[in-house]
């Protein structure tokens, strides 16, 4: 995508799997996307590890991750909407860290590229970054993520303007980057997750962090971020598209697109 | 590692205690996201390690590019990878090092559906 590899035989099946979702999204362009993601030691260093954080800036620069910034547009924020989310979520007892300034890394820009591989000068929608610590134990519990998602959904729906909002839950599926189990892929777990995220998110919320690490790998715990997306949707949803592919470098990659049918 | 942190064989679970133990090492690796730091590091690796206050073990692991040792000393893969990038090494190269495989063997294992445990 941002490195022009979509036709490369290694990457093509992965990107082709996204196409139907992209076509649907092209017909339903959101005004704002709340992107739930994790930073990879780029904007956030381990001097401070916020468990949950929200960006409230006018715009976000693309981080230099060690090889220069990715060739993608800067990200336009939605500060008033962010302020509303901060107020609503803290009122709902989710004690968020607030970022007035934030460089966004591939955790945020790659999902945007999946949605829109050729954005040109600007992304098709404004973005609110919602960061989750999935790198340093203890991460938030899966149950807490689902609960945050539910509060996020209420916050979005209570915004006075009538906006179309997408929520992107991101994070690799099963994978582990280091240690003797590096290269772990647990397709059974991933397929169970892809199914349960629609029908039984409580079942996924009930899994412990240790279960995520054992079953999905030390980095597979990134899956808890999907539960924030799931929680934000209303009770009536429709599965528009899903895809699953191994490998994307060292990880299993899956995607599921839900349309929210509740108001 | 903290007592409540899960212990999973073959898996480093990076926690706040590890973050403290390996702070100098991870800070050094993290600093390499800045282009000017990469140049300084490449110009004199030993002096650069000195600036970041690495322990002797951490310094030796960095200078020898002993990726396994860096992880044993509490390195976080997200930081350590920045050092690998300076050497133009991929995550699949590191995966091979961690599992005693060549990069090609590791990549092939992933392509074949990944490595399975239990």
């Amino acid at each position: 995508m941002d490195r022009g590899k979509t036709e490369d035989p290694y990457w093509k099946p992965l990107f082709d799997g996204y196409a139907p979702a992209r076509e649907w999204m092209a017909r339903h362009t959101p005004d704002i996307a709340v992107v739930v993601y994790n930073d990879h030691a780029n904007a956030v260093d381990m001097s401070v590890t916020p468990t949950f954080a929200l960006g409230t800036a006018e715009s976000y620069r693309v981080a230099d991750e060690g090889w220069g910034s990715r060739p993608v547009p800067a990200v336009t924020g939605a500060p008033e909407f962010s302020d509303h989310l901060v107020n609503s979520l803290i009122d709902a007892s989710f004690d968020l860290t607030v970022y007035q300034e934030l460089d966004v890394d591939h955790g945020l820009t790659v999902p945007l590229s999946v949605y829109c591989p050729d954005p040109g000068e600007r992304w098709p929608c404004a973005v609110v970054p919602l960061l989750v610590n999935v790198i340093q134990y203890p991460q938030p519990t899966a149950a807490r993520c689902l609960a945050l998602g539910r509060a996020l959904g209420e916050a979005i729906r209570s915004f006075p303007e009538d906006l179309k909002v997408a929520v992107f839950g991101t994070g690799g599926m099963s994978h582990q980057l280091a240690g003797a189990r590096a290269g772990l892929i647990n397709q059974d777990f991933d397929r169970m997750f892809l199914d349960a995220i629609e029908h039984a998110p409580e079942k996924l919320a009930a899994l412990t962090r240790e279960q995520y690490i054992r079953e999905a790998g030390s980095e597979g715990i990134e899956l808890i971020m999907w539960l924030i997306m799931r929680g934000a949707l209303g009770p009536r949803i429709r599965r528009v598209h899903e895809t699953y592919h191994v490998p994307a470098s060292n990880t299993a990659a899956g995607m599921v697109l839900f349309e929210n049918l509740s108001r | 590692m903290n007592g409540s942190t899960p212990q999973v064989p073959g898996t480093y679970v990076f926690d706040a205690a590890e973050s403290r133990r390996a702070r100098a090492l991870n800070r050094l690796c993290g600093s390499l996201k800045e282009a000017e730091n990469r140049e300084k590091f490449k110009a004199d690796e030993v002096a650069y390690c000195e600036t970041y206050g690495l322990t002797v073990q951490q310094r030796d692991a960095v200078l020898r590019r002993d990726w396994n040792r860096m992880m044993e000393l509490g390195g976080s893969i997200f930081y350590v990878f920045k050092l690998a990038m300076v050497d133009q090494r991929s995550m699949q190269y590191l995966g091979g090092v961690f599992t005693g495989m060549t990069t090609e063997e590791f990549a092939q294992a992933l392509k074949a559906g990944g490595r399975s445990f239990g």
Side-chain angles (χ1 to χ4, degrees), chain A residues 10 38 40-47 64-68 135-139 176-187 209-210 213-214 217-219 222 246-247 249-251, chain B residues 4-16 19 23 26 30 32-35 38 71 76-79 81-82 85 91-92 94-95 98-99 106-107 110-111 113-117:
Chain A
Y10 180 89
N38 71 290
H40 301 75
N42 292 305
V44 181
D45 79 12
M46 278 169 201
S47 311
D64 180 344
E65 306 183 25
W67 53 67
I135 291 179
Q136 180 175 297
Y137 195 89
Q139 292 89 346
Q176 178 165 320
L177 301 176
R181 289 205 312 170
L184 170 148
I185 300 288
N186 186 344
Q187 298 206 19
R209 287 164 293 197
E210 179 158 357
I213 293 167
R214 278 185 192 281
S218 46
E219 281 70 48
E222 289 175 3
V246 176
S249 185
N250 297 27
T251 180
Chain B
S4 63
T5 302
Q7 312 259 320
V8 181
T11 304
Y12 297 103
V13 182
F14 184 82
D15 67 6
S19 184
R23 178 136 174 77
N26 286 324
L32 300 173
K33 72 181 177 176
E34 311 284 348
R38 295 195 283 274
M71 297 306 299
S76 154
I77 189 63
F78 296 103
Y79 285 83
F81 185 46
K82 294 189 192 300
M85 282 191 287
M91 194 60 92
Q92 293 203 321
L94 291 184
F98 295 137
T99 55
F106 184 80
L110 262 295
K111 245 181 154 168
R115 302 177 68 227
S116 112
F117 297 89

Side-chain angles (χ1 to χ4, degrees), chain A residues 38-258:
Chain A
N38 71 290
D39 179 81
H40 301 75
N42 292 305
V44 181
D45 79 12
M46 278 169 201
S47 311
V48 180
T49 306
T51 300
F52 295 120
L54 201 110
T56 57
E58 301 267 357
S59 64
Y60 304 92
R61 290 185 315 181
V62 176
D64 180 344
E65 306 183 25
W67 53 67
S69 295
R70 282 167 187 260
V72 294
V75 172
T76 302
E80 285 177 26
F81 186 73
S82 286
D83 289 344
H84 172 78
L85 296 185
V86 166
N87 286 319
S88 305
L89 290 171
I90 293 179
D91 282 353
S93 299
F94 289 90
D95 306 318
L96 301 175
T97 299
V98 179
Y99 274 94
Q100 301 285 3
E101 202 175 303
L102 178 69
D103 288 357
V104 291
D105 75 1
H106 70 273
L108 184 131
T109 66
V110 166
L112 288 180
S113 293
V114 166
Y115 159 39
C116 178
D118 300 305
E121 295 288 303
R122 55 171 56 228
W123 297 107
C125 60
V127 170
V128 172
L130 198 170
L131 287 87
V132 182
N133 164 43
V134 288
I135 291 179
Q136 180 175 297
Y137 195 89
Q139 292 89 346
T141 62
R144 189 68 173 154
C145 290
L146 185 63
L148 172 62
R150 287 179 174 148
L152 174 66
E154 283 178 27
I156 291 170
R157 287 185 285 273
S158 70
F159 190 66
E161 262 178 81
D162 188 19
L163 295 175
K164 195 180 287 177
V165 179
V167 180
F168 289 21
T170 76
M173 300 200 79
S174 60
H175 69 304
Q176 178 165 320
L177 301 176
R181 289 205 312 170
L184 170 148
I185 300 288
N186 186 344
Q187 298 206 19
D188 291 342
F189 182 86
D190 289 341
R191 301 230 181 246
M192 179 281 292
F193 191 97
L194 275 172
D195 181 60
I197 190 84
E198 178 177 5
H199 302 292
E202 293 80 9
K203 172 177 155 185
L204 303 176
L207 298 176
T208 64
R209 287 164 293 197
E210 179 158 357
Q211 284 172 306
Y212 277 98
I213 293 167
R214 278 185 192 281
E215 297 293 327
S218 46
E219 281 70 48
I221 196 172
E222 289 175 3
L223 280 166
I224 61 173
M225 293 188 288
W226 293 40
L227 290 171
I228 297 176
M229 171 276 294
R230 180 63 185 86
L233 298 173
R236 289 178 54 242
I237 61 172
R238 181 177 76 88
R239 183 178 294 236
V240 176
H241 178 67
E242 76 168 71
T243 183
Y244 181 74
H245 179 75
V246 176
S249 185
N250 297 27
T251 180
M255 192 196 60
V256 56
L257 174 63
F258 294 121

